[in-house]
Amino acid sequence: MSNMYLYGYPVYLVIFFLYNIQISYSSEYDLTVDIPAGGRSCFFETVKLGQFIEIDYQVIDGGDNDVSFIAQSPAGYPLVTDIRKRDNAHKIKAMESGDYKICFDNSFSRFSSKLLYFELIVENADGTNDNAKNDDDWMEFVKADELLDMSVDNLKETIASMKNNFAKSIQQQSMLKIFEAKDRNIMENNCSKVTTWSLIFISVLISTGILQVGL
């Protein structure tokens, strides 16, 4: 039975590639957390010497939409500190191996909790991660006669380009969803304020009219 081809490559290679994307990018994750008023949320990430930590955060809802941020080395030394920022992005190089601490601080707020989204990526200096070796596993499934009509280097370049494009698309879609959620929360809060003040003004006008008629 002949093999099916997609973009000039066997279909099972494309399927294996799509599955491999999830494996290769296991060092990337994003979370949405609710930080209580007067509270702090901390996270730990194991990083090796020479790797980079990329973190991008944004406050979606709550109070003035601000939060303090601090990143600490395994020894407890502060690496990056933000004071009451709405959003920011940092890239930190690990100067030692160990568990790096990342905290979002809302202790300055007495009444308002903060809904926050952040994305964290751990990668090597060349932009790959420890699971990048899985990128070449597809070669084990390729028969020699199927490589006669294709260039291995071109195939690897195509797969690497597709993987990078997929990763960027996922990241951009996540950020767009966060922007949409933030704008929606602002719109709903403004709508609630307008409705409340409108009811107050209407009540005042009605009360004034009743008093004038009564007098």
Side-chain angles (χ1 to χ4, degrees):
M1 183 176 63
S2 60
N3 289 324
M4 297 179 62
Y5 287 80
L6 181 64
Y7 297 107
Y9 304 114
V11 171
Y12 70 84
L13 286 183
V14 179
I15 296 175
F16 182 84
F17 154 71
L18 293 174
Y19 171 76
N20 198 41
I21 288 178
Q22 182 178 2
I23 298 176
S24 298
Y25 281 85
S26 60
S27 296
E28 173 182 351
Y29 62 87
D30 55 271
L31 293 173
T32 301
V33 296
D34 187 16
I35 307 175
R40 168 186 284 202
S41 295
C42 294
F43 304 87
F44 293 86
E45 181 69 19
T46 302
V47 184
K48 297 180 180 179
L49 175 66
Q51 288 186 318
F52 287 89
I53 306 172
E54 291 187 22
I55 184 163
D56 190 345
Y57 69 89
Q58 180 175 121
V59 181
I60 302 174
D61 189 29
D64 294 328
N65 288 338
D66 56 355
V67 72
S68 295
F69 167 80
I70 184 171
Q72 294 181 343
S73 67
Y77 297 108
L79 302 175
V80 178
T81 302
D82 292 337
I83 305 298
R84 302 190 67 170
K85 293 286 187 70
R86 294 191 174 188
D87 56 79
N88 211 343
H90 298 285
K91 186 172 184 178
I92 306 169
K93 183 177 182 180
M95 305 306 295
E96 59 180 318
S97 300
D99 295 330
Y100 283 73
K101 185 178 181 180
I102 297 170
C103 293
F104 298 97
D105 189 4
N106 192 35
S107 59
F108 57 84
S109 179
R110 297 184 178 180
F111 306 104
S112 300
S113 62
K114 305 294 173 60
L115 185 63
L116 178 138
Y117 165 86
F118 76 93
E119 182 180 37
L120 188 146
I121 303 174
V122 177
E123 62 182 13
N124 298 319
D126 58 359
T128 63
N129 54 56
D130 289 340
N131 290 319
K133 59 184 177 63
N134 292 310
D135 292 347
D136 293 330
D137 288 348
W138 60 273
M139 292 294 295
E140 299 177 2
F141 298 91
V142 180
K143 297 180 181 179
D145 57 350
E146 293 174 347
L147 291 175
L148 294 178
D149 297 329
M150 69 177 72
S151 170
V152 177
D153 292 335
N154 291 339
L155 177 57
K156 294 176 69 174
E157 290 177 2
T158 301
I159 290 179
S161 177
M162 291 175 62
K163 184 177 68 174
N164 291 332
N165 291 335
F166 267 101
K168 290 179 181 179
S169 298
I170 293 172
Q171 183 178 10
Q172 291 177 356
Q173 289 175 359
S174 299
M175 294 305 300
L176 288 175
K177 288 196 300 183
I178 296 304
F179 288 141
E180 188 273 335
K182 181 179 180 180
D183 293 339
R184 184 177 65 250
N185 288 329
I186 294 175
M187 181 184 65
E188 292 176 351
N189 290 334
N190 291 338
C191 181
S192 177
K193 292 179 181 178
V194 170
T195 302
T196 301
W197 282 105
S198 297
L199 292 175
I200 293 174
F201 285 132
I202 292 174
S203 300
V204 171
L205 289 175
I206 294 175
S207 300
T208 302
I210 293 175
L211 289 175
Q212 288 180 347
V213 172
L215 296 177

